[in-house]
Amino acid sequence: MPGTTPERRPPIPESALPETAPDALWPERIVELGRRLSASPECADERGQLWLLLGGALLRALRGAAWRQSGISEDDLRDLAAQKAFDLMRMFDRGEWNPGTSVPGQVVVFVNRVARNGLIDAGRRAGGRTQPLEEKHLARPAASDDADPGLGASRREFAEALVACAQALKPVHRLAWLFRVFYELPSRDIADHPEIRLNEANVNVILQRCRRQVGECMASKGFEPGDMPSGCFTALWSAFRASSLRSPEGVS
Amino acid sequence: MNVPIDRTPPGAGPHLSEDRCLDIVAGLASSSALEEALRHARVCPECDERLRRCAADFEALRAREARGEAAPADVPSPPARPSWTWTDPRVWAPLAAAAALVALFFLRPHAPSRPEEAARWIAVDRDLVLTRGDANGADSLFRAGLEAYERHDAAAAARLLAASHATGGEEDLRRLYLASALVTASRPAEALAVLDDLRPASLPEPWRSEGLWVRYLALDRAGRRDEAAAELRELADAPGAIGSMARERMGAR
């Protein structure tokens, strides 16, 4: 902007960006999708896959950038990732960036850089309220607590009961319930989700019904839904979502 | 149908990295790698949480994709073979007449904006709006103002929202809905004053785009055409419905 002093970007050290596992598959998939789309730009399904994967990779980088931005919520981070993925798709369409001509490592570096700059710009727009994330906020895998066999057994029982109760819900209702209870998605996102496609009012009614039904079912088995232990998500996801993955062929 | 529960004793499998989680939810992991990862996540609270967050991100992105936020405007659509040619007068004569009418409309000196241009009502999800900030911050006037806004009563909404009080994120939204009501009530200068204290770009979607659109309308209706045009150009890059409207509006000019 004319007449304004250029702001200096607060430094985010490269070391703060997430390290990518050498066996990560998503960078290779982005390269592959780039190649396919270069050959056939009209492939809508592959465009969608590329956008989704870029969005997921950007979110991974945003979360792992070791920076906490005051006032940036989960939803803001997702909006930022969606916007940046959109920008990358535009660059791809204009021929300014083509992952199909890169190697996976270059894709990782580029995506990380886009995420980092996006985060800095978002922080600046929010008034420059950025502060480095302290070490204690960085998620570090903890040792599993299966040293206590009693705890593991009760957790498994709870998860089994919850899977059985969720099994009784209609598939679309169960999905909406899963999205709210485990993913904490707002009703609008649930309503717009391609596997749901309902209006928000319907979603809210369904969620209320599901909560009551699952609550009664869990109570009949002697559990309180509020006591949900960790591990439940994976149990439900394995039971109801793992089979509906977008690319079932998998790559190893 | 009984869903099988894995009763395998917890193994010493590796923790799930963010990359592994992304590979899993994107459907890239092989079935054996998936099985191993899930077996570990069932007994590892950290990995269960990491996988949950990654899956939530992915599904939230899918919802955005379904809303059209993934599709750039300039994506070339597959060319359809025309059954006519531009040299055919049956095609160009009516189009030329229509173009002349459109040109006449737009070439009128300082044609005032049509009232319906401003009548875009931002969707109100009261639960969502009133829970973005301090739950106790919103007063009854704010709620009444939102109700008036939902009824499309611009004058009442402007009056009530101007007199109301909110805190935190709710205050930003109070200003946004107030500015929208003021523009709709043909009070663009007041709307701009309200928007001056609000940075629409700092709002989350969908309010960010809506806020920028309100600002564009206010500038346009206040006669600040150059600034409005600049705002419109910015909006044309936005995803979703607002971006489409902006591009349509730019195309019409």
Side-chain angles (χ1 to χ4, degrees):
Chain A
M1 191 182 291
T4 57
T5 311
E7 291 177 71
R8 197 165 62 86
R9 285 187 168 170
I12 296 182
E14 290 286 343
S15 59
L17 293 169
E19 286 177 20
T20 299
D23 58 346
L25 300 169
W26 63 265
E28 200 178 316
R29 179 68 173 161
I30 286 178
V31 169
E32 184 191 335
L33 288 168
R35 282 189 195 134
R36 284 197 205 173
L37 278 167
S38 297
S40 319
E42 71 278 6
C43 289
D45 190 47
E46 275 151 1
R47 285 190 69 84
Q49 280 187 47
L50 180 57
W51 183 85
L52 263 179
L53 211 47
L54 286 171
L58 285 160
L59 260 170
R60 160 203 155 279
L62 288 168
R63 289 196 191 288
W67 274 68
R68 180 181 45 181
Q69 304 260 338
S70 306
I72 294 193
S73 65
E74 289 280 310
D75 223 31
D76 292 341
L77 272 188
R78 287 171 182 161
D79 284 340
L80 182 57
Q83 178 62 51
K84 290 295 160 193
F86 172 84
D87 291 345
L88 290 180
M89 291 302 290
R90 281 172 61 93
M91 288 174 69
F92 177 75
D93 289 330
R94 291 171 178 162
E96 296 164 2
W97 175 64
N98 185 355
T101 59
S102 307
V103 295
Q106 289 172 316
V107 169
V108 173
V109 170
F110 185 66
V111 165
N112 281 353
R113 188 168 299 147
V114 168
R116 181 180 57 176
N117 292 342
L119 199 57
I120 292 169
D121 289 341
R124 189 184 296 146
R125 281 197 299 274
R129 294 167 297 175
T130 61
Q131 50 184 298
L133 192 68
E134 293 168 25
E135 189 66 21
K136 64 184 178 184
H137 292 108
L138 297 172
R140 289 278 183 266
S144 66
D145 55 5
D146 287 294
D148 180 349
L151 180 61
S154 66
R155 206 166 54 193
R156 267 200 304 277
E157 284 169 15
F158 189 99
E160 284 181 34
L162 194 58
V163 168
C165 289
Q167 184 67 33
L169 301 173
K170 290 179 184 171
V172 172
H173 294 191
R174 182 170 58 230
L175 199 54
W177 173 80
L178 189 71
F179 286 173
R180 171 57 58 83
V181 173
F182 286 95
Y183 297 170
E184 296 165 3
L185 295 188
S187 297
R188 184 182 179 220
D189 279 0
I190 297 174
D192 288 341
H193 193 278
E195 292 177 59
I196 305 261
R197 292 198 187 281
L198 292 168
N199 67 45
E200 278 186 54
N202 281 348
V203 166
N204 289 331
V205 170
I206 287 167
L207 289 174
Q208 205 172 4
R209 202 176 295 157
C210 289
R211 267 192 220 109
R212 194 179 58 239
Q213 196 175 328
V214 172
E216 287 170 1
C217 175
M218 289 299 280
S220 74
K221 294 173 185 290
F223 293 105
E224 290 290 328
D227 301 337
M228 200 174 303
S230 63
C232 280
F233 167 72
T234 304
L236 265 86
W237 194 84
S238 308
F240 302 122
R241 293 298 285 163
S243 60
S244 64
L245 294 175
R246 199 164 180 165
S247 306
E249 76 274 11
V251 184
S252 189
Chain B
M1 184 185 77
N2 283 329
V3 177
I5 298 289
D6 186 0
R7 292 176 183 281
T8 310
H15 287 297
L16 305 189
S17 63
E18 298 278 353
D19 291 306
R20 177 63 75 198
C21 290
L22 180 54
D23 287 346
I24 288 172
V25 300
L28 301 176
S30 66
S31 52
S32 57
L34 178 66
E35 271 310 305
E36 184 193 0
L38 294 181
R39 201 160 44 237
H40 173 79
R42 282 190 194 103
V43 296
C44 175
E46 294 285 349
C47 294
D48 181 67
E49 170 58 16
R50 192 171 296 122
L51 183 62
R52 183 201 66 78
R53 202 178 54 198
C54 190
D57 284 343
F58 210 69
E59 300 297 359
L61 285 170
R62 288 187 71 196
R64 282 161 172 75
E65 182 194 16
R67 273 202 293 272
E69 292 178 20
D74 47 4
V75 175
S77 48
R81 180 179 291 278
S83 58
W84 41 264
T85 66
W86 287 107
T87 52
D88 186 344
R90 287 172 302 175
V91 172
W92 59 257
L95 288 176
L101 281 173
V102 170
L104 275 175
F105 176 81
F106 281 105
L107 289 174
R108 284 182 306 166
H110 294 288
S113 301
R114 291 162 292 165
E116 62 269 24
E117 275 188 343
R120 176 177 171 82
W121 298 92
I122 304 168
V124 178
D125 180 337
R126 263 180 285 163
D127 288 342
L128 203 56
V129 171
L130 296 175
T131 52
R132 279 202 69 81
D134 173 7
N136 301 316
D139 61 13
S140 56
L141 282 176
F142 186 14
R143 290 170 194 278
L146 286 177
E147 281 168 10
Y149 188 92
E150 275 185 299
R151 290 195 308 272
H152 296 185
D153 184 343
R159 189 178 66 251
L160 290 163
L161 289 170
S164 66
H165 164 76
T167 57
E170 286 168 4
E171 172 61 11
D172 289 341
L173 295 178
R174 183 188 72 85
R175 285 177 180 276
L176 172 62
Y177 284 100
L178 171 59
S180 173
L182 286 168
V183 168
T184 309
S186 300
R187 293 158 64 185
E190 292 168 74
L192 286 169
V194 171
L195 288 170
D196 279 345
D197 291 327
L198 169 72
R199 281 178 303 234
S202 68
L203 292 171
E205 290 290 4
W207 296 298
R208 179 189 304 135
S209 301
E210 295 285 3
L212 293 171
W213 183 257
V214 171
R215 183 171 163 74
Y216 153 70
L217 288 176
L219 287 167
D220 188 54
R221 292 180 68 81
R224 292 159 63 176
R225 300 298 161 95
D226 289 346
E227 290 168 82
E231 198 78 38
L232 195 61
R233 280 195 295 276
E234 289 272 318
L235 278 165
D237 284 334
I242 296 287
S244 301
M245 281 166 51
R247 290 187 287 275
E248 200 175 305
R249 185 70 58 95
M250 282 183 73
R253 290 196 158 188

